[in-house]
Amino acid sequence: MLKCSFIEGPILHRLKYGKGRGQNLAKAVGFKFNKNRTIIDATAGLGYDAFILASLGANVTLIERSEKIYDLLKAAISEAKLYGGEISKIVNRMNLLFGDSKDILPNIAPEVILIDTMYKDRKKSALVKNDMRLVREVVGSDSDHVELINVALNNASKRVVIKQPRYAETLDNIKGCSHQILGKIIRYDVYVTI
Ligand SMILES: C[S@@+](CC[C@H](N)C(=O)[O-])C[C@H]1O[C@@H](n2cnc3c(N)ncnc32)[C@H](O)[C@@H]1O
């Protein structure tokens, strides 16, 4: 069953052992340059990446267009707000919006945008993660991925970060990225837009 929680489960392991601002996600969004990053997670999903970024001090706006995933995420954020302690402080830095990022991004003057769609071939890597397989069953394959990236590139004032499986092909119709951050399983393609 698809579940979303910030008070139990794998996210707490990631919070505890994730190497803080030294982890690749933090490097990709550019924490080095600004300790108080404001980040738009344009593909919120279960909110795990957003939660990690918020735990590092960022204010994160999450956008999700699937009603079912949005409802799960909204409930998990509400539950975590009531939980108290550090978890509540973290989710208080998360602001969830419902809708399609392609429509919303041009209206919110984003600085840094994170994109992690279901588009890529996840057979060997991220599909191993059961929860992402279940998300895919709900949302499908995000076939408008390229369109979303182009909207993000046209609107981010600082950078766009695309999270992909490490060996995913670079898309032909997207211009080359500024740099990449490579992990064992995940790759971040960073487009500096300043
Ligand atoms: C791979 S999941 C994201 C996982 C997320 N990074 C996490 O840590 O839980 C992709 C999510 O993005 C959402 N999505 C894809 N394209 C979108 C768009 N244009 N606007 C809003 N949400 C979108 C999908 O509905 C899906 O829930």
Side-chain angles (χ1 to χ4, degrees), residues 91-181:
V91 293
N92 278 330
R93 289 194 283 273
M94 294 163 62
N95 172 35
L96 176 62
L97 304 179
F98 176 67
D100 193 314
S101 291
K102 299 196 300 302
D103 303 326
I104 294 175
L105 290 175
N107 298 313
I108 55 174
E111 291 186 344
V112 177
I113 301 173
L114 172 66
I115 294 178
D116 173 25
T117 67
M118 284 291 174
Y119 176 77
K120 310 80 65 169
D121 177 9
R122 286 172 170 263
K123 268 188 248 115
K124 290 202 186 82
S125 50
L127 262 192
V128 175
K129 295 201 169 171
N130 200 35
D131 48 6
M132 280 304 125
R133 186 167 32 219
L134 294 172
V135 171
R136 179 174 226 153
E137 278 172 21
V138 175
V139 307
S141 64
D142 294 333
S143 53
D144 57 346
H145 169 78
V146 172
E147 217 182 318
L148 173 60
I149 293 173
N150 280 318
V151 172
L153 288 171
N154 286 332
N155 286 281
S157 60
K158 295 207 160 54
R159 62 174 66 194
V160 175
V161 175
I162 302 175
K163 181 177 174 181
Q164 324 237 36
R166 172 160 180 158
Y167 296 106
E169 281 176 30
T170 303
L171 294 163
D172 291 343
N173 30 4
I174 303 276
K175 65 173 185 169
C177 61
S178 314
H179 62 277
Q180 294 182 321
I181 296 178

Side-chain angles (χ1 to χ4, degrees), residues 5-109:
S5 175
F6 301 112
I7 66 168
E8 61 178 16
I11 189 62
L12 295 186
H13 185 269
R14 200 172 149 192
L15 182 63
K16 195 165 172 193
Y17 300 104
K19 296 198 205 142
R21 287 188 174 164
Q23 64 191 287
N24 285 351
L25 174 62
K27 288 184 197 158
V29 299
F31 266 116
K32 201 166 102 187
F33 303 106
N34 184 345
K35 307 257 179 281
N36 302 306
R37 276 281 190 221
T38 298
I39 297 165
I40 311 293
D41 183 344
T43 53
L46 300 178
Y48 292 156
D49 288 326
F51 181 81
I52 294 300
L53 292 170
S55 78
L56 301 175
N59 289 306
V60 188
T61 296
L62 301 81
I63 308 173
E64 176 53 54
R65 67 178 169 187
S66 155
E67 208 171 340
K68 190 165 174 189
I69 303 292
Y70 170 86
D71 286 346
L72 279 176
L73 187 48
K74 192 173 168 205
I77 291 174
S78 302
E79 178 186 48
K81 280 188 179 168
L82 294 174
Y83 191 70
E86 193 53 32
I87 300 283
S88 299
K89 285 189 194 149
I90 295 171
V91 293
N92 278 330
R93 289 194 283 273
M94 294 163 62
N95 172 35
L96 176 62
L97 304 179
F98 176 67
D100 193 314
S101 291
K102 299 196 300 302
D103 303 326
I104 294 175
L105 290 175
N107 298 313
I108 55 174

